[in-house]
Amino acid sequence: MDTTQRTDQQRSADRRRRELLEAADRVVLRDGPQASMNAIAAEAGITKPILYRHFGDKGGLYAALAKRHTDALLSSLRAALDAPAERRERVEATLDTYLAAIEALPQVYRFLMHPVDGGQTADQGSTPVTTLFRCFGGWARSWLRSSRSRWISGPTASSWLGCGGMGLSG
């Protein structure tokens, strides 16, 4: 098999994976954490074995969906945190961004935060969502420490802690 043929096959597989994730997104938007592999396969017009071939199991599909959604959320949160504004305004914008994402796609939030099978990844025992919070927490901590103005206190600090706690406690 030559390089061109392998590249074409890889592009085709990547396209098919995106199509399957889009079908999974539609089912998650409809069913939330109760989204089943049967429903996702039916939505995609395939059989479950084909879905398993692409993702391994429901945990693999969960991880792929979580990565898709958490990457987009992290990008939005980072943009809000890095915006050229006063610290308090950036913190408020970041919290607004997080809460707006939940409000816009509540079933996706429920699916990510309350996976029926636990959504654990075999290699680390943690979900992609906990990775999101660790990553964003690290960015926020670095941002707060590098800022020249005083530390955030009072209700705004409580909001930061509550934001992370909501996600991690489910």
Side-chain angles (χ1 to χ4, degrees):
M1 181 181 308
D2 67 7
T3 305
T4 304
Q5 189 175 8
R6 274 191 296 239
T7 303
D8 289 344
Q9 286 178 340
Q10 185 60 46
R11 272 191 228 129
S12 178
D14 291 346
R15 184 181 68 249
R16 184 62 172 153
R17 185 178 175 89
R18 279 191 308 276
E19 291 168 356
L20 294 174
L21 286 171
E22 288 164 10
D25 268 337
R26 290 190 297 273
V27 173
V28 167
L29 287 171
R30 184 184 69 224
D31 300 345
Q34 305 308 316
S36 69
M37 294 296 270
N38 283 334
I40 293 167
E43 179 71 25
I46 60 171
T47 62
K48 269 185 13 180
I50 293 172
L51 193 58
Y52 284 116
R53 189 176 329 140
H54 283 272
F55 298 102
D57 58 13
K58 189 170 184 178
L61 178 61
Y62 168 87
L65 281 173
K67 180 166 178 25
R68 176 184 251 205
H69 289 285
T70 58
D71 284 354
L73 179 57
L74 269 175
S75 177
S76 298
L77 291 171
R78 185 67 191 251
L81 189 63
D82 288 341
E86 292 298 315
R87 175 188 275 178
R88 182 179 184 92
E89 292 166 353
R90 287 189 280 176
V91 169
E92 289 172 354
T94 303
L95 290 171
D96 286 345
T97 299
Y98 176 74
L99 295 173
I102 294 170
E103 186 176 21
L105 298 170
Q107 289 290 59
V108 170
Y109 175 80
R110 289 182 191 107
F111 177 79
L112 294 174
M113 293 301 181
H114 305 289
V116 172
D117 64 358
Q120 299 289 313
T121 56
D123 58 335
Q124 298 175 356
S126 67
T127 68
V129 176
T130 56
T131 303
L132 168 115
F133 281 105
R134 282 189 202 112
C135 182
F136 185 71
W139 285 342
R141 186 173 43 257
S142 296
W143 176 77
L144 287 169
R145 286 183 178 156
S146 69
S147 180
R148 293 176 191 239
S149 57
R150 65 181 180 184
W151 283 82
I152 296 172
S153 61
T156 306
S158 297
S159 296
W160 270 105
L161 293 172
C163 181
M166 277 188 300
L168 294 176
S169 67

